[in-house]
Amino acid sequence: MGRPLGLRHDGGAVLRRTALFAAALALVILPFMTAPQAAGGPTRLVALGDSLTAGYRLPADAAFPTVLERLLKAKGEDVTVANAGVSGDTATGGLDRVDWSVPDGTAGVILELGANDMLRGTDPTVTERALSAIIERLKARGIPVLLAGMQAAPNLGPDYKARFDAIYPVLAKRYDLTLYPFFLDGIIGDRAQHLDDMLHPNRQGVETIAARMLPTVQAFLDRIRQAPAR
């Protein structure tokens, strides 16, 4: 009937099986052994916004996230800033795409939305609710937010302006966020820093925005690094 089925006590076979097992175990363990090194890489930020973030009518190297990243690196910061700006986006539009626009592994988000809401005369309550929902989704994922504020144009009337302008400080206080009060600070009314539409910054305007915002972003990075590991 032949030999019964079973393990062969063959020294060479045992050694081969041992080597194969060790190789397979190494493939399983290696990613975990290298994880701390990956975790020590650049701090990854995402700029989630509209055309002001996207770089409307500007080359990619002149868009706000790219300029900000360059200025941060010049200060010795090991950081990347991804461009998640979509021209024409409202706060509600940002809410619709926040989950896929902000990938896992993101250390912090610069949230710049609301300008298009204001230009359309959207009820400030709608804008506030959408921004609040974005912040809550990010906080649920353990992702800190730097909120970049916007201000309403005076021609929309004092009541609308007061309600709209209050959105950002109210949200920053409610959620304990780092706040940059006005994203367009330093360029409003200056033709030399705008495109011909007088709505969007040109290359020089983006440089001004990023430079003015730089200390706030550095403080945000410090806050991220000091936060307890999640």
Side-chain angles (χ1 to χ4, degrees):
M1 292 181 62
R3 288 178 298 182
L5 296 175
L7 290 176
R8 292 179 58 193
H9 296 285
D10 181 331
V14 171
L15 288 173
R16 287 193 295 272
R17 285 197 299 270
T18 302
L20 287 171
F21 176 76
L25 187 62
L27 289 174
V28 174
I29 295 175
L30 186 59
F32 295 95
M33 293 178 65
T34 58
Q37 184 176 353
T43 301
R44 293 191 287 174
L45 302 181
V46 171
L48 179 67
D50 48 40
S51 56
L52 299 175
T53 290
Y56 178 72
R57 286 173 50 189
L58 295 175
D61 67 346
F64 168 73
T66 305
V67 173
L68 179 63
E69 179 180 313
R70 169 167 51 80
L71 295 181
L72 286 167
K73 287 181 174 178
K75 291 290 186 177
E77 301 283 2
D78 187 13
V79 63
T80 63
V81 186
N83 189 339
V86 173
S87 293
D89 223 355
T90 61
T92 301
L95 174 59
D96 289 341
R97 65 183 177 88
V98 61
D99 293 330
W100 58 264
S101 291
V102 180
D104 291 341
T106 297
V109 167
I110 299 171
L111 179 57
E112 176 277 306
L113 284 168
N116 288 309
D117 301 62
M118 179 268 294
L119 291 173
R120 299 176 187 186
T122 301
D123 184 342
T125 302
V126 174
T127 304
E128 181 178 344
R129 286 175 180 168
L131 290 173
S132 179
I134 291 172
I135 294 164
E136 289 183 1
R137 284 198 191 178
L138 293 171
K139 286 178 76 71
R141 294 171 60 191
I143 301 175
V145 174
L146 187 165
L147 185 60
M150 184 52 55
Q151 296 179 6
N155 62 359
L156 292 170
D159 179 65
Y160 185 93
K161 181 170 176 58
R163 292 175 61 214
F164 184 89
D165 292 2
I167 291 173
Y168 300 90
V170 165
L171 290 177
K173 183 176 181 180
R174 181 185 303 163
Y175 294 106
D176 187 26
L177 307 178
T178 300
L179 174 67
Y180 185 72
F182 185 32
F183 186 77
L184 297 175
D185 182 49
I187 73 166
I188 287 296
D190 186 351
R191 289 186 174 276
Q193 300 196 76
H194 282 81
L195 298 176
D196 52 13
D197 62 8
M198 283 303 292
L199 292 173
H200 297 90
N202 57 20
R203 184 185 285 269
Q204 180 182 338
V206 173
E207 292 283 345
T208 297
I209 291 169
R212 284 178 174 256
M213 199 168 177
L214 185 63
T216 302
V217 178
Q218 288 186 283
F220 180 55
L221 287 169
D222 288 341
R223 185 173 180 180
I224 290 172
R225 291 163 184 152
Q226 293 166 7
R230 57 181 188 270

